[in-house]
């Protein structure tokens, strides 16, 4: 399996509860390295642009409001099969369906407030990483 990079976002519901360290420990324990990281506050416009792929869906407005409601931690994770590994560590979107020990099983409040975001494919990862980070910020 090849070394990959993927975007991870620790969402407002998790940053509000000071879970950044606990979530990062789960990534690192799974063999992923954090090669870039920053805490930011998205505007509604930035959240809308990042999630524009969902613009036609009924939850789009609510998602953008949520993501702009408090700081988030955006980061780039690197490792063997990082995209699949990150998604495994995050768990199912619905915390009720997430496997025990995953981030969402332990920390998510609901389907909407599910603590983390992760890229779903290499192409998406490249686009999402470029949205938040310049090449100079990727220091792995």
């Amino acid at each position: 399996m090849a070394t990959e990079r993927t975007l991870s976002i620790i969402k407002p519901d998790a940053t509000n509860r000071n879970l950044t360290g606990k979530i990062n420990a789960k990534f690192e324990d799974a063999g992923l390295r954090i090669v870039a990281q920053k805490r930011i506050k998205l505007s509604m416009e930035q959240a809308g642009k990042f999630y524009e792929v969902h613009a036609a869906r009924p939850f789009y407005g609510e998602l953008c409001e949520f993501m702009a409601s408090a700081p988030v931690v955006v980061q780039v994770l690197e490792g063997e099969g990082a995209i699949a590994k990150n998604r495994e560590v995050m768990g199912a979107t619905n915390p009720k369906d997430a496997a025990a020990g995953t981030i969402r099983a332990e920390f998510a409040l609901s389907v909407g407030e599910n603590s983390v975001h992760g890229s779903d494919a290499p192409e998406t990862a490249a686009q999402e990483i470029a949205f938040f980070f310049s090449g100079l910020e990727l220091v792995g």
Side-chain angles (χ1 to χ4, degrees):
M1 201 170 251
T3 298
E4 296 177 324
R5 287 183 171 170
T6 188
L7 184 81
S8 168
I9 302 176
I10 301 176
K11 294 181 177 182
D13 62 295
T15 62
N16 281 339
R17 293 179 289 142
N18 294 318
L19 296 173
T20 301
K22 290 178 181 178
I23 290 171
N24 283 342
K26 287 192 170 287
F27 293 136
E28 291 175 335
D29 289 347
L32 296 168
R33 287 184 346 142
I34 300 168
V35 298
Q37 181 182 67
K38 56 188 167 184
R39 184 179 177 97
I40 61 172
K41 174 79 167 60
L42 292 170
S43 68
M44 276 294 289
E45 182 180 332
Q46 291 165 325
K49 180 73 174 157
F50 182 76
Y51 285 107
E52 70 184 352
V53 66
H54 299 302
R57 296 192 168 168
F59 61 81
Y60 174 73
E62 185 178 336
L63 173 62
C64 293
E65 287 177 24
F66 169 61
M67 292 300 290
S69 70
V72 298
V73 174
V74 293
Q75 53 196 9
V76 178
L77 306 177
E78 180 181 81
E80 294 293 317
I83 295 166
K85 177 60 70 177
N86 180 36
R87 296 186 73 73
E88 177 184 322
V89 172
M90 288 190 308
T93 302
N94 185 337
K96 292 177 182 174
D97 299 331
T102 63
I103 292 168
R104 289 176 173 150
E106 289 190 27
F107 304 124
L109 300 174
S110 67
V111 172
E113 293 179 308
N114 62 20
S115 299
V116 286
H117 164 90
S119 303
D120 61 2
E123 303 78 24
T124 310
Q127 292 169 352
E128 291 181 346
I129 290 168
F131 186 90
F132 289 108
F133 295 96
S134 74
L136 293 174
E137 295 174 294
L138 304 173
V139 295

